[in-house]
């Protein structure tokens, strides 16, 4: 699409399926947890094969809408339930969670992500805004980000406007000065727009935009294209700023 130009003072970024694909990470983390349980809590592993763990976690998530923003607590409750039902030591819930969580943070970035994020971070402050529980420190990207705000620590998940507003407040910019970037139509684009931010849809799979929603301000298939756009728009603005400075000098 022909990208328009507008000023961007800061960027908030989704993580899962925007910077790395999440499905292979979860499959691997579930396998790591299963292996850990086979070693340390074999009765639990026998009673809860991977499919059963997934079903139980979904059930607990359904029963606890108050925890919709908190995947970490959902996961801990799932583990406690499994250990209790199997007659294993409940004290194993925490080390089991640690094994799962370490694997959950072993992500493989999309090929363009790291270089593009470095280019974005050189232009404007970046903040991570995620409903998931990925830890950017463990993942190694924290140096590129001003901060990371998760739904768990904020208490509400995207698309709730309050989490976008909290991020803008910490960035010390108005929502209209901030661009939110993400893959999810409802959580990132509809949510970001509803909170008054500019929005960029990262559409890596060439999906069709659903007709019932206004289109995002920007749509790109990679973060590299976004970095290219930010370079161009920053150069345009430098020219405009330079021209107005010259005018002032001449006046
Ligand atoms: Mg996402």
């Amino acid at each position: 699409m022909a990208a328009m130009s507008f000023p961007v003072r800061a960027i908030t970024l989704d993580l899962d399926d925007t910077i790395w694909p999440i499905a292979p990470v979860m499959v691997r983390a579930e396998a790591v947890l299963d292996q850990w349980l086979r070693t340390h809590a074999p009765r639990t592993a026998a009673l809860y094969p991977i499919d059963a763990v997934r079903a139980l976690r979904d059930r607990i998530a359904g029963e606890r809408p108050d925890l919709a923003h908190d995947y970490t607590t959902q996961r801990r409750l799932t583990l406690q339930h499994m250990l209790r039902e199997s007659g294993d030591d409940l004290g194993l819930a925490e080390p089991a969670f640690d094994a799962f969580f370490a694997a959950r943070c072993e992500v493989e970035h999309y090929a363009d992500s790291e270089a593009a994020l470095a280019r974005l971070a050189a232009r404007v402050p970046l903040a991570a805004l995620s409903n998931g529980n990925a830890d950017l420190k463990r993942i190694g990207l924290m140096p590129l980000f001003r901060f990371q705000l998760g739904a768990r620590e904020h208490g509400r998940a995207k698309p709730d406007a309050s989490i976008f507003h909290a991020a803008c407040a910490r960035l010390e910019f108005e929502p209209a000065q901030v661009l939110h970037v993400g893959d999810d139509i409802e959580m990132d684009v509809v949510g970001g727009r509803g909170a008054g931010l500019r929005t960029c849809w990262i559409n890596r799979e060439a999906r069709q935009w659903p007709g019932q929603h206004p289109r995002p301000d920007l749509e790109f298939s990679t973060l590299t294209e976004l970095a290219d756009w930010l370079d161009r728009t920053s150069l345009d603005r430098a020219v405009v700023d330079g021209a107005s400075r010259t005018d002032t000098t001449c006046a």
Side-chain angles (χ1 to χ4, degrees), residues 14-20 22 129-131 158 181-184 187-188:
D14 173 55
L15 299 176
D16 295 326
D17 286 336
T18 294
I19 299 179
W20 54 74
I22 188 62
L129 200 51
S130 174
N131 285 355
K158 295 180 291 185
V181 179
D183 69 291
D184 194 282
M187 293 179 202
D188 294 310

